[in-house]
Amino acid sequence: GAVVSQHPSWVICKSGTSVKIECRSLDFQATTMFWYRQFPKQSLMLMATSNEGSKATYEQGVEKDKFLINHASLTLSTLTVTSAHPEDSSFYICSAADSYSNQPQHFGDGTRLSIL
Amino acid sequence: DAKTTQPPSMDCAEGRAANLPCNHSTISGNEYVYWYRQIHSQGPQYIIHGLKNNETNEMASLIITEDRKSSTLILPHATLRDTAVYYCIVRVGSGYSTLTFGKGTMLLVSP
């Protein structure tokens, strides 16, 4: 089946640091990638949708200048949390889809971000 | 707005069939029913999807009622590793459309 790789799986850093998370589709062209955030005991909340080569579309309430998304190729999207603070600590999950096929979205294994 | 309704939790004995219900009474004609599950501290895993016919794959079976207002995911022989939160989601079938996750059903499989 389709594989989506997310890296790193776990990161701890100091407040004020910027953190980059990578999401790769390993065996299909990811024309569309999605970024989600999940707080403890809650469901996944969509943060933004990105199409390859275009600017990301952010959900209401998500700061585009704080959560920078780049989707420059058909296999890689990155999410950079800029100047992270403790309230940004969460589980970040990406998913990828080939919008030209009927295949479902496939998810990475998530990145647990802890800001001290 | 939640487009699906699922029970918050269910229990199942190991080796027995797990039948997870989902109500989606406002589903549109071009919307599919998708099922994903999330094991603790992992990303969601795709299970199965269907439009109006029943579907089966190596993981599960999906039974959709004739009026498409509800469906049931069946895990024929549940194992301990099937303990997870199961999400029923309706969305149009194209790859670029978004998935909206509700609260899902926490399935606990016990020995």
Side-chain angles (χ1 to χ4, degrees):
Chain A
V3 178
V4 175
S5 174
Q6 193 171 337
H7 178 81
S9 57
W10 186 51
V11 60
I12 300 174
C13 59
K14 294 180 179 180
S15 184
T17 306
S18 292
V19 179
K20 180 184 284 188
I21 302 170
E22 292 188 349
C23 181
R24 295 180 183 272
S25 59
L26 300 184
D27 56 358
F28 67 101
Q29 293 186 340
T31 51
T32 305
M33 284 188 167
F34 306 85
W35 288 94
Y36 295 81
R37 181 167 53 183
Q38 186 175 32
F39 292 107
K41 299 188 184 300
Q42 295 186 22
S43 190
L44 283 78
M45 294 296 295
L46 180 66
M47 298 176 67
T49 302
S50 72
N51 294 303
E52 184 264 337
S54 302
K55 289 185 177 180
T57 301
Y58 290 80
E59 295 298 301
Q60 192 172 7
V62 178
E63 300 175 55
K64 64 179 182 180
D65 294 330
K66 181 166 186 63
F67 299 99
L68 302 179
I69 292 172
N70 183 282
H71 189 175
S73 79
L74 287 172
T75 60
L76 174 66
S77 176
T78 60
L79 167 68
T80 301
V81 183
T82 61
S83 187
H85 292 286
E87 59 266 29
D88 298 321
S89 298
S90 189
F91 191 47
Y92 292 86
I93 309 167
C94 72
S95 71
D98 179 352
S99 55
Y100 296 105
S101 81
N102 196 24
Q103 294 302 306
Q105 285 182 34
H106 291 277
F107 287 78
D109 274 340
T111 297
R112 187 154 307 278
L113 175 62
S114 296
I115 308 299
L116 305 178
Chain B
D1 291 340
K3 299 187 74 172
T4 64
T5 304
Q6 298 178 255
S9 64
M10 292 183 65
D11 294 329
C12 180
E14 188 178 20
R16 304 297 294 269
N19 298 294
L20 291 89
C22 179
N23 285 322
H24 32 79
S25 59
T26 61
I27 191 170
S28 300
N30 64 343
E31 289 182 316
Y32 288 69
V33 179
Y34 283 78
W35 283 83
Y36 284 79
R37 72 180 182 184
Q38 186 178 25
I39 295 170
H40 183 63
S41 294
Q42 296 183 21
Q45 177 188 23
Y46 166 77
I47 302 173
I48 199 167
H49 74 284
L51 183 63
K52 54 182 178 181
N53 296 324
N54 297 337
E55 302 287 343
T56 295
N57 63 19
E58 64 278 5
M59 291 183 67
S61 294
L62 174 60
I63 309 298
I64 303 174
T65 58
E66 193 169 343
D67 63 7
R68 301 211 319 126
K69 293 185 177 182
S70 66
S71 61
T72 301
L73 179 74
I74 301 173
L75 307 179
H77 305 286
T79 70
L80 299 180
R81 287 183 293 181
D82 292 321
T83 293
V85 178
Y86 287 77
Y87 297 99
C88 169
I89 302 168
V90 297
R91 50 160 267 190
V92 295
S94 53
Y96 56 80
S97 62
T98 60
L99 291 168
T100 302
F101 286 82
K103 296 184 178 180
T105 296
M106 175 65 216
L107 175 68
L108 177 62
V109 181
S110 303

